[in-house]
Amino acid sequence: MNAMVVLILSIVGIAAGYGFYAKTIDKQVIQPDAKKATPAKMYMDGVDFTPAGRHVLFGYQFKSIAALGPILGPIVAVQWGWLPALLWIILGTIFIGWVQDYASIMIGVREEGQTFGALSYRLISPRSRLILITFIYFYLWLIMGAFGVQVGFNLLTNPAVPLGVIFVILVGILAGQMTYKWKQDIILTTVVTVVLALVGIWLGTLPGVKSLFSSLYGTAGGATSPTWFLAVTQARFIGTLLVVIICYFGAVLPIWRWAQPINYVSFWIVLLGIVGGLIGLFIWRPSMGDFPAYTTWTVAGLGPLWPILFVTIACGAISGWHSLVSSSGTARQLESETDALYVGGGSMFLEMFFATMAFLTATVAFGGLQGYKDAGGGAAAASVFSKGLAAFMNQWGLDKALGEGFGVAYGAVFLTLMALTIMYLVVRFMRVASAEALGDRFPVMKNVHVGTIVALILTLILIWLVPFLQIWVMFGAANQLMASLALLLVTLWLMSKGKRYQWTLWPFAFMFVTTIGALAFKIYEAFVLNLPNAGTKHGALTVGQYSTAQVVIGLIAVILMVTALILAWDGIKAIRRYQAEAAAPAKP
Amino acid sequence: MKYSPGVVEIARKLRALASALGDIVYGATIYEMVRDLQKERGRIERLFVLVVFGDFLGIPILPPYYALQLLPYVVPSIETWKTSLLRERDLIDLVDFDT
């Protein structure tokens, strides 16, 4: 199939999903009222509640939901063949993805900007708030592991990449200084910092710089980086250390000094990459070659198509992260109820388009399945994307050597920055969560540095110990489970208001059964398939280390499954309660 | 020079599109920074009102002598201030980059 046909299919999906289904639900079920005051207007305090225009909020929402999820998920999932991955991206978004994002905003708007914690306390049961927060902590830990392993093990171990990333960070700090301290014009700041960032990425590709990092990584002269411990080579150790140091500063420094200006410069790098890749794709118009529509039911290292594919592609079709951003962030800034569909649904459909582009980097950029495998395959999804993006951008007519060298480094820096944007936020969250939970018993946990270091050590354990594909599937399962819990909350809310709820109930049922199935499979895989056979399956690890990794991943799956089942049990009881209330005769 | 209504309409739509794209880029970039500054100001204001008018909430603060002079300026936002100050928060609030 040609790449243009895929893009047209996704545009048709957007037209049908947004233009017909979403608008029908919006008008007939939710019935937004432009005259009704939103929490942003009612409680405007300049802190939590601030109204913003629809287009501004669309940009904010999209920036907040787009990270590595929609990029890496499709690249990993094409191992089952391109057809199941593409169908899930398009149909998942049309029937489930936008539903969750939009409904999460509307529930926040109609319930005075309450968070999911407060809503679950009220709509499900008092204990569900604590369970939800515990669940979210593990979920965020998995985000750190999944993103950290790709950045630390894959992207930064390319000697052409680290200098570019360090340069962009330094330039980001300069952007903060120029904006907040020197009070420079934002356009001047943008031009200076983005040009410097591009120069920095190019400098990283120079032979001298690459040989410097190759020496640091122990790969000079084409040598293999020496293994230090577990499966951690010298290069991977330095790569993960860089990630940890960057995240540490992102978590302890004021937002204006580190995270925000770096994110600002990163946005332009990412935007230029997307636009550049898209233009290259239109010039090239490649086909998938011999890439099969369907390969096999069970992919080694991942599992069976159902349920694992549906958690492998998370953010590109549906993501629990979106529900947190929508309910706690966007819902408190919505100026008018009628903006919710455009902001929530619209940005989800745009993310679907983004996921389709990532899907194309894996399926068309390398001429077929073997090319995809040679580029790294699912286990090195980040490398596949950076190489695929470089292949698209090379269609502009750049010198091939320059285009490939710069393009791959650019793609890798692009992905690293996207991952770091979310990782700063997650470390901050983990730090505050541990201070809240343990601070009274262990006052040292209230210390900013201690909380951050604990969060980062937990992250390192996951990155160093557990193979990427296992972390990714677990992250996807937790993400989709979060999404299904959000859909459960929305369903209960609709029932409590006497509105039609089938459009959220069935997506909830599908996502819940699928993700519980995925977690059950991971538990089975860890404790039944892998642990007893550690002697033959341990690969580069020792038997003890491999067994520990299986126990860690199996236990996380058990914890997530138990918390989700308790929440679902309470949720089903709440559904029955609301159904009984609806069936009861009205009191005179 | 007079343009036909069709051209004027196209120009208007193009201007609206450019403005929307500008807003989207603003929302994805600088908006977060601006909002953070607004939040900082909002927090300081909230604290200032608490220090001066904390007795409204039963906090044993001896109102300073200028409290009465400031009262007319504070009255319009008293309800919002109370809601903002007393609103129950949990960890999920932090997702909005509020740490």
Side-chain angles (χ1 to χ4, degrees), chain A residues 482-503:
Chain A
M482 182 65 231
S484 67
L485 295 174
L487 286 166
L488 170 66
L489 262 178
V490 173
T491 305
L492 290 170
W493 174 71
L494 289 169
M495 290 177 90
S496 72
K497 300 290 171 195
K499 287 183 180 289
R500 275 189 281 167
Y501 54 83
Q502 279 77 10
W503 61 287

Side-chain angles (χ1 to χ4, degrees), chain A residues 335-352:
Chain A
E335 203 166 34
S336 165
E337 283 193 355
T338 49
D339 295 345
L341 181 62
Y342 169 69
V343 173
S347 45
M348 181 62 225
F349 279 102
L350 186 59
E351 177 139 307
M352 180 195 101

Side-chain angles (χ1 to χ4, degrees), chain A residues 43-50 52 55-56 58-60 63 115-118 129 132-133 136 180 186 255 259-260 264 267-268 324-325 328-329 332-333 342 425 428-429 432-433 436, chain B residues 16 19-21 23-43 45-46 80-81 83-84 87-99:
Chain A
Y43 306 121
M44 185 168 63
D45 58 1
V47 183
D48 299 315
F49 297 90
T50 320
H55 300 305
V56 173
F58 180 91
Y60 165 82
K63 181 219 73 172
T115 63
F116 273 179
R129 171 189 279 189
L132 190 69
I133 288 171
I136 289 173
Y180 293 107
I186 192 72
I255 285 174
Q260 265 182 1
Y264 177 71
F267 169 82
W268 293 105
L324 294 176
V325 171
S328 302
R332 294 173 182 173
Q333 298 165 68
Y342 169 69
L425 175 58
R428 293 178 94 92
F429 186 99
V432 179
E436 287 282 324
Chain B
S19 161
L21 283 176
D23 279 355
I24 290 171
V25 171
Y26 170 77
T29 54
I30 307 164
Y31 173 62
E32 189 84 51
M33 299 186 195
V34 173
R35 199 163 151 247
D36 232 54
L37 292 174
Q38 285 174 342
K39 277 185 179 183
E40 201 56 44
R41 190 183 66 181
R43 284 196 192 103
E45 266 181 22
R46 197 164 64 184
T80 317
W81 167 71
T83 315
S84 177
R87 195 172 66 81
E88 191 184 0
R89 290 174 173 81
D90 64 33
L91 284 171
I92 300 173
D93 279 87
L94 301 177
V95 173
D96 189 25
F97 234 147
D98 198 11
T99 41

